[in-house]
Amino acid sequence: MSLVLDAAAQDLLFREARTANTFTDEPVTDEQVQAIYDLVKFGPTAFNQSPLRITLVRSDEARERLVRHMAEGNQAKTRTAPLVAILSADNEFHEELPALLPHFPQAKDMFFAERPVREGSAQLNAALQAAYFIIGVRAAGLAAGPMTGLDFAGVQKEFLDEDHTPLMVVNIGKPGEDAWFPRSPRLELDEVITTV
């Protein structure tokens, strides 16, 4: 059975897409970021919550502050990527629920009054949105280099606040020379899916 999405789009988003390790110096524009967000904001989340927050690191000064918190193997590519985004989860996302879920505004207090519940939900749903964001970057014809090799507490202190939990850093741009590591294996369907 074939997919509705044509083969070229499947390749762009999944089969040929890879985590980029080098980038050209072609800039990533605000218009590209707007187009990416305008697409990925429609990805599903629980209660239509939208806890993902994106901090774009554009200035040289901010870039160097971030590089200090990256693992050694991630520093050079973070320093040279045209755009770097810090993706975080807003643990106070529930404040927007009355507007985002107008048919059920009481969800804010009914389900998310307790901070630990909010944090768990924010982590899960922001991670979903981070995955949509990476696919959106690919849909824009760009490459994404998501990384979790970083000092999370340091990034939070440097760029965020206690209500925002960093999830990952994503380098974004056109892939450069020798951008890809060899494709790693993937599990086959029968190793993943169980029918009951």
Side-chain angles (χ1 to χ4, degrees):
M1 187 163 104
S2 62
L3 301 174
V4 173
L5 203 61
D6 69 47
Q10 293 172 39
D11 287 345
L12 177 70
L13 299 179
F14 294 99
R15 284 193 290 260
E16 299 298 325
R18 309 279 279 286
T19 295
N21 294 289
T22 67
F23 298 89
T24 69
D25 59 2
E26 183 178 330
V28 176
T29 67
D30 289 337
E31 292 78 17
Q32 287 172 302
V33 173
Q34 181 73 56
I36 291 164
Y37 182 73
D38 285 345
L39 177 65
V40 304
K41 69 184 179 185
F42 294 109
T45 57
F47 292 96
N48 198 35
Q49 61 185 272
S50 298
L52 181 68
R53 298 296 177 264
I54 303 167
T55 304
L56 299 179
V57 181
R58 288 205 182 270
S59 74
D60 292 340
E61 178 269 333
R63 182 76 58 108
E64 285 308 312
R65 286 173 32 224
L66 176 60
V67 165
R68 288 195 299 265
H69 298 290
M70 301 303 295
E72 185 176 342
N74 292 331
Q75 290 181 353
K77 52 191 166 185
T78 302
R79 184 175 281 119
T80 59
L83 180 62
V84 181
I86 301 168
L87 305 188
S88 62
D90 181 357
N91 296 307
E92 298 298 313
F93 70 87
H94 69 305
E95 295 296 341
E96 281 134 8
L97 278 182
L100 294 173
L101 201 65
H103 64 279
F104 189 25
Q106 61 271 34
K108 173 188 177 232
D109 298 316
M110 186 179 292
F111 295 105
F112 300 109
E114 302 293 325
R115 175 73 181 230
V117 173
R118 286 199 308 275
E119 288 177 353
S121 192
Q123 287 275 324
L124 173 63
N125 288 280
L128 281 173
Q129 291 186 290
Y132 304 145
F133 179 78
I134 292 166
I135 299 300
V137 168
R138 293 172 175 179
L142 301 169
M147 301 169 294
T148 56
L150 57 114
D151 172 6
F152 285 90
V155 168
Q156 183 178 30
K157 184 176 181 182
E158 191 82 40
F159 293 96
L160 307 171
D161 60 33
E162 64 185 23
D163 288 332
H164 294 81
T165 303
L167 301 172
M168 67 185 72
V169 168
V170 182
N171 294 328
I172 303 166
K174 292 281 187 183
E177 196 172 320
D178 298 320
W180 321 118
F181 293 144
R183 169 75 76 192
S184 296
R186 298 298 195 268
L187 296 175
E188 295 299 327
L189 180 139
D190 62 355
E191 298 174 283
V192 174
I193 295 179
T194 302
T195 302
V196 295

